[in-house]
């Protein structure tokens, strides 16, 4: 069985399982997350099955970001939120559970009580930072 046949988000696109649609066009589909961080939490997904964010075609990725941010604005206007997070988990260790790339639009209120568990490390020296930077740049491919 192919990845696409089994994939829960491909099933949503094909209408095989129900979803609460917010928006769709030729490239993408957006719907309410079934277990929202805050009410109105939306997922924006490409119609085509890609696993990782770097595989998504540029026009589709651009559309996902554009529509995601517009939905974020709509969440603020309609449900009185103060802001929103756009979040994408790439890889299981990053928290990706559904292996069909997707962008979360998480509406945020000033006092919603939710905190990303964000830690902040430090580079031990300038040379360590430079070494890290050079390694990244060396592998950067388009
Ligand atoms: P991630 O952890 O980034 O892979 O996020 C997967 C998201 O998909 C989670 O927030 C789930 O709540 C959501 N999800 C899983 N199944 C469904 C579904 N059938 N309809 C809507 N959202 C879903
Ligand atoms: Zn899929």
């Amino acid at each position: 069985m192919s990845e696409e046949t089994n994939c829960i988000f491909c099933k949503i696109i094909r209408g095989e399982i129900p979803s609460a649609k917010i928006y769709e066009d030729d490239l993408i589909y957006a719907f309410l997350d079934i277990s929202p961080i805050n009410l109105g939490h939306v997922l924006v997904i490409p119609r085509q099955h890609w696993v990782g964010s770097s595989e998504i075609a540029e026009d589709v990725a651009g559309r996902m970001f554009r529509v995601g941010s517009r939905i974020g604005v709509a969440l603020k206007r309609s449900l009185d939120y103060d802001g929103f997070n756009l979040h994408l988990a790439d890889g299981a260790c990053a928290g990706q559970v559904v292996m069909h790339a997707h962008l979360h639009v998480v509406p945020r209120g000033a006092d919603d009580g939710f905190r990303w568990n964000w830690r902040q490390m430090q580079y031990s020296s300038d040379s360590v930072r430079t070494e890290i930077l050079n390694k990244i740049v060396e592998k950067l491919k388009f």
Side-chain angles (χ1 to χ4, degrees), residues 48-100:
Q48 189 173 336
H49 181 95
W50 284 293
V51 177
S53 58
S54 71
E55 299 161 36
I56 304 171
E58 195 165 344
D59 56 340
V60 182
R63 184 79 63 84
M64 284 173 71
F65 189 89
R66 181 79 163 163
V67 168
S69 57
R70 289 282 170 95
I71 289 173
V73 171
L75 287 165
K76 287 170 62 179
R77 289 182 176 160
S78 59
L79 301 177
D80 213 22
Y81 283 108
D82 303 306
F84 57 92
N85 288 107
L86 295 180
H87 171 80
L88 188 148
D90 193 316
C93 72
Q96 185 176 8
V97 174
V98 177
M99 293 298 157
H100 179 131

Side-chain angles (χ1 to χ4, degrees), residues 3-11 13-14 45-51 98-101:
E3 254 183 356
E4 287 89 333
T5 311
N6 253 339
C7 170
I8 189 160
F9 286 175
C10 285
K11 285 182 182 170
I13 297 269
R14 291 194 297 264
I45 67 176
R47 286 190 178 279
Q48 189 173 336
H49 181 95
W50 284 293
V51 177
V98 177
M99 293 298 157
H100 179 131

Side-chain angles (χ1 to χ4, degrees), residues 12 18-25 28-34 36 38-45 47 64 66-76 78-79 81 103-105 107:
I12 285 177
S19 63
K21 182 179 81 177
I22 294 271
Y23 173 83
E24 68 178 322
D25 63 29
I28 64 166
Y29 187 83
F31 56 105
L32 290 179
D33 193 299
I34 206 164
N38 280 322
L39 302 184
H41 177 167
V42 171
L43 299 174
V44 181
I45 67 176
R47 286 190 178 279
M64 284 173 71
R66 181 79 163 163
V67 168
S69 57
R70 289 282 170 95
I71 289 173
V73 171
L75 287 165
K76 287 170 62 179
S78 59
L79 301 177
Y81 283 108
L103 183 65
H104 293 260
V105 188

